[in-house]
Amino acid sequence: MPKQYFSLRNLKFTLHEVHESQEITQYPYFSHIDREAIDMILDSAIQIADNILAPVAIEMDREHMAHFHDGKVTVHPAVKKYIKAVGDAGLIASRAPLEVGGSQLPETLNVAIAFVMGAANNAITAYAGLSEGASNLILSFGSQYLKDTYLQKMYAGDWQGTMCLTEPQAGSSLHYITSSALPTDEAGKYKIKGQKIYITAGDHDQTDNVVHLYLARIDGAPAGTKGISLFVVPQKRVENGQFVPNDVKTIGIFHKMGQKGCPAVHIEAGNNDECYGWLLGEANKGLTYMFQMMNEARIGVGTTGACIASAAYYAALEYANERPQGQLLNVKGQDPNAPQTLIINHPDVKRMLMLQKAITEGSLSLIMQGAKYADLLHVSEGEDKEKYQLLLDFLTPVIKTYPTEAGIQSVSSSLQVFGGGGFCEDFPLEKLYRDIRITTIYEGTTGIQSLALLGRNITMKNGKAAMLFFQEVMKDIEASKTHEDLKKYANTLASKLAEVQRVTQHLVGFAMKGETERFLADATLYMEMFGIITIAWQWLKQATVAKNALLTQNPQGDDLQFYESKVHSMRFYFAYELPKTLGLAVRLLDDELLTIGVENTILV
Ligand SMILES: Cc1cc2nc3c(=O)[nH]c(=O)nc-3n(C[C@H](O)[C@H](O)[C@H](O)COP(=O)(O)OP(=O)(O)OC[C@H]3O[C@@H](n4cnc5c(N)ncnc54)[C@H](O)[C@@H]3O)c2cc1C
C-alpha cells in the first residue's frame, strides 16, 4: 500500500490560505467554529480515514465486495464501523443546524473531509454521503412526523439513506419515470409501485433500515417532470409500534467495474401491493426538491474524481521515486556501465506527475471555490444571496465534470508511471482506474452536464450568472498582477476569457436563430474548453497566494518548497494544459457540420 493518499499541507493551503476559511467562520451562523476547530475536525476525519477506511480499501474491492445471495445483500463489515464512526462524529449531520442536532459545518470543511475520506477509500464514502443527502431532504421539506421518524436514526448511522431516481427507461431523462403512487385513506401516505435500477447503497446488512427517497407519479399527475413527486419509502416501516417489511425488495445487484465495496441494486417496490411511501413536501414538486440532493451529490462526485486522482498521484509519485530504469537522456550511450536512474528523473515521467498534480490540486481548489460560494450563500441576504446562488449554480456542472473527466486522464497517467505494474493487482492503480470511471456517468453524464452549462447556465438570468463568473475571474487576474512575474500568466488568462466569450457569442447566436441542435451539438467540447480555463483561474489564484507567502513570510524548508512548487505547477498548467483550448475553439467556431444533419448510415 502507498504511504500517502493526499497532502494535508495542500488541503490546508487550499482551505485556509486560498479560500480563506476564516472569512466564513466570522459569520454568526458559523461562529461556533474557528480555524483551530476546523483543524481538529479535519484531524478526526483523518483518523477515521487512516484507521478504518484505508486498511480495507483493497479488501472491499476483491475478497469482500458487495454480494447478493438468497435475496440478501452483504457488504464488508467495515461499513458499519465507518458509518457509526462518522455518525458519532456528527459528520452525517454535518450540514444540519445545531438546533436539530446537526453540526452546522461550513461546506468548505465538508468538502475537505470528503476529500480525505474518499482518497482513503472511495468505495465506502457513498454510504454516509447518501444518508446525509437523504436526511437533508427530509429536514428541508419533510413534515414533523417524517423528521421525528427518520432524522436521528439517519444522523446516527443506524439507518441508510438512498436516492431512487433511475428506472430502466428513465436514466438521463427523468421525464419518463413511471413508478406510481396511489393515495390511501391516510393523508400523505401512498401505495408505491415500480422499479428502480442502479440504486447505490440501496440494500445491505450493515444498518438496521434503508430509507429510499423515491421519485414517483401520483395517479393522474401530469406527464413529464411537472408530474413527479418525492416519497420517503423505508425498507421497514413502523406499524403499531413494530417494524414490518415494506414490500420494497432487492431483485438483483449490478456487477460493476469499480467501487465494488458499495452495491448498486435493482429494487422492486409494491410487487405485493404492500409498499407504502410518505409524500415529502408538496405533490408534483419532487424533482425540484430532488435537485437539492442532486446538486450536493454533483459536488460530491466532483470531489470523488479529485480524491481518487490524489490517491493515484501519491502512489505514482512514491513509485517514481523508487523505481530505477534506464539512463538520463544526456548520458545515454556515453557510459554503458552507469547505474540506472530513478524514473522520476525522466522528463516524460516528470511531465506525467506534474500533470497529475496540476489536475488534482486544480480540481480541489475549484471544488473548494464552489463550496465557498455555498457557504457565502448560506450567510448572505438580498443581492449577495442571489449572486452566490447564481455563481454556485453556474459552476456546479463544471465542478462535476472537470475533476472527473480530467481525473480519469490523471489516474490513467498515474497508472502509466507504474509501467506493467500499473496494469496488475500488485499495485492499487488498476483499482483506482476502474473506480474513477463511473464518476463521469452518475449524477448526470458529462454530456448532460455540458448541455446544462451551455444550454441553460450561460444564458441564465439573461447572462447574469456568466457575467458574475467572468467578474470573479477578472478580480483574481487583477490581484495576481501585483506580482511582476505573474503578469504574463494574468494576461494569458485574460485572453483565454476573451476567447471563450467569443466562442460563447458565436454559439449563442445559433440559439437566438432557433437552431438549437447547432447551438448544443458540441456542448461537451465547450465544457472541456470552459473547464480548462476555469482550472487556470484556480491555478493563478493559488500562485498569487503562494507568491504573497514567499514575499511576506520568508518561508524556509518544506514551506519554501511548497510555495515554490505551487508557482511551478501554475506555470506547468499554463504551458501544457491551457493551450489545448485553442484547438477546441477552432472546432467550436468551425462551420463544418459532421455530427448533425447526417444519416446514421455514415457509421458503418
Ligand atoms: C454504479 C452506478 C451507481 C448509480 N447510482 C444511482 C443512484 O444511487 N440513484 C439513481 O437514481 N441512479 C443511480 N445511477 C444511475 C445513473 O445516474 C445513470 O446511469 C445516469 O444518469 C445515466 O443514465 P443511463 O445509464 O440510463 O444512460 P442514458 O441516459 O441512456 O445515456 C447514455 C448515453 O447517452 C447520452 N445521452 C442521453 N441523453 C442525452 C441527451 N438528451 N443529449 C445528449 N446525450 C444524451 C449520455 O450522455 C450517455 O453518454 C447509478 C449508476 C451507476 C452505473
Side-chain angles (χ1 to χ4, degrees), residues 210-272:
V210 179
V211 182
H212 301 295
L213 275 280
Y214 193 108
L215 291 178
R217 277 175 204 288
I218 297 175
D219 212 31
T225 50
K226 292 202 171 81
I228 297 174
S229 301
L230 183 57
F231 298 86
V232 177
V233 181
Q235 207 176 47
K236 290 181 200 139
R237 62 176 198 265
V238 183
E239 215 165 77
N240 304 324
Q242 299 285 317
F243 273 120
V244 295
N246 192 26
D247 190 20
V248 51
K249 289 196 186 71
T250 297
I251 54 174
I253 191 172
F254 291 89
H255 299 284
K256 299 187 293 175
M257 172 180 175
Q259 299 194 323
K260 289 171 180 275
C262 188
V265 303
H266 186 163
I267 63 174
E268 185 173 54
N271 193 35
N272 300 313

Side-chain angles (χ1 to χ4, degrees), residues 490-510:
N491 291 335
T492 303
L493 182 56
S495 73
K496 290 291 169 188
L497 274 195
E499 189 179 72
V500 77
Q501 281 167 326
R502 200 165 57 249
V503 167
T504 308
Q505 268 177 5
H506 175 76
L507 295 176
V508 170
F510 294 108

